[in-house]
Structures are given as structure tokens and as C-alpha cells.
Amino acid sequence: MAKQPVNELVTNLAEPHAAALGLEVVDVQLLREGGRRILRVLIDREGGIALDDCEALSTALGEELDRADPIPYSYCLEVSSPGIERPLKKEQDFRRFAGHTISCRLFSPLQGRKNFSGLLLGLEGQEILLKAGEGDVVRLPLDAVALARLVYDEGNRKGGKKR
């Protein structure tokens, strides 16, 4: 049996605790920054999150991680907001944020490009529909996307919304 990736395992541990608090787990990242290992859990909810939300999930998840012990070395658990340029990871993200400006980077070129940005029209099947440039609609295969995120729009402090 293949070993489950740490970020997937931590996501599975975090999601029930997050749901009980009315939160969504946006992403889990295991990183090395400044010589330290960091387990970063990004959370969100409609209307945004507060420091108390981060603290509550950090406490619950910290206890769960101590029991499960999925990481064989020391690390720092960090629970935070994904910020105004939050990553879009799940199919539901591409539906929820339709009407917002996003940027996408693909694993390999499509139409001679790896980077696309524009107005997210939504998700059709397994393709992201993106209105780029002068009304051109680009279809990006969901499994070809290496990174997608909202783009901050000065007209909207929440980021990414076109008016």
C-alpha cells in the first residue's frame, strides 16, 4: 500500500475539526522556511476568519497531530488565512469564485503559454472557463493547473471581484 502524502493526511485530520468550527480547509503545505519546517494550514469561511478561528483550529489540530504523529521530525504548526489572493484548489472553489479575477499557471504550455489570467466564468466539466483579454474564453483543463489563485482588485478589498 502506498504511503499517504503528509499534506493529504493532515487535510483529512484537519477537515472534521474545521467543519465543527464552521471553517473550510483551503490548503495544507509542508514547507521549509529559514531553516525551519512549517506545517501551514490555510483556512477560510464566508465573510473571512478571525484570530480566534486560527487559535481554535490550531489547538484542536495540534492535539490530533500529537496523537497521529504523521511527521517524523519537528515542525511548527501554523494556522492562518489564505489571504486576499487565496489559492483555488478544489472544484468547488472554481464554482464559488466565478465572477472573480484569477491567475493560473499550468504544468505545461497550452496555446504556447503556461500563465493565464482573467475573469473566472466557472467550471464546465473538468475545464476552467476563463475570460481573458478582449472577450476570448479560454478552457483550461483542471488537471493541467499547477497553481490558481484569486487576483487582488483594488476596487474590492476581498480581492478578485470584477464590478
Side-chain angles (χ1 to χ4, degrees):
M1 176 186 283
K3 189 173 180 182
Q4 189 176 26
V6 171
N7 59 346
E8 186 178 315
L9 189 123
V10 173
T11 298
N12 292 337
L13 292 174
E15 283 181 336
H17 295 287
L21 296 167
L23 303 168
E24 168 197 5
V25 175
V26 174
D27 198 11
V28 173
Q29 307 163 342
L30 186 57
L31 313 161
R32 190 175 192 97
E33 290 182 355
R36 297 182 332 156
R37 290 188 175 108
I38 297 174
L39 177 61
R40 184 170 295 144
V41 179
L42 303 177
I43 59 172
D44 203 4
R45 84 165 89 201
E46 192 71 35
I49 62 165
L51 185 57
D52 290 344
D53 297 320
C54 296
E55 183 179 352
L57 185 60
S58 180
T59 299
L61 181 57
E63 291 170 2
E64 187 75 29
L65 288 168
D66 286 345
R67 274 192 296 278
D69 199 21
I71 303 170
Y73 44 79
S74 67
Y75 60 92
C76 178
L77 174 61
E78 181 182 289
V79 178
S80 66
S81 163
I84 58 176
E85 292 195 341
R86 75 170 264 168
L88 305 177
K89 305 285 273 188
K90 305 169 190 160
E91 288 183 24
Q92 66 200 34
D93 294 338
F94 293 97
R95 289 184 184 93
R96 175 179 169 193
F97 292 103
H100 289 72
T101 304
I102 69 166
S103 67
C104 291
R105 184 175 66 234
L106 305 181
F107 289 112
S108 57
L110 177 71
Q111 302 171 356
R113 304 169 40 192
K114 286 178 90 171
N115 296 305
F116 293 84
S117 64
L119 185 67
L120 175 61
L121 300 176
L123 192 65
E124 190 175 282
Q126 291 296 300
E127 292 182 318
I128 300 164
L129 302 179
L130 190 64
K131 184 177 179 183
E134 296 297 316
D136 297 333
V137 175
V138 179
R139 293 175 169 272
L140 304 174
L142 193 57
D143 62 358
V145 175
L147 176 67
R149 64 178 58 245
L150 293 176
V151 173
Y152 176 71
D153 179 354
E154 289 184 35
N156 179 4
R157 290 176 46 104
K158 288 197 177 234
K161 185 75 174 178
K162 282 287 190 187
R163 296 183 182 208

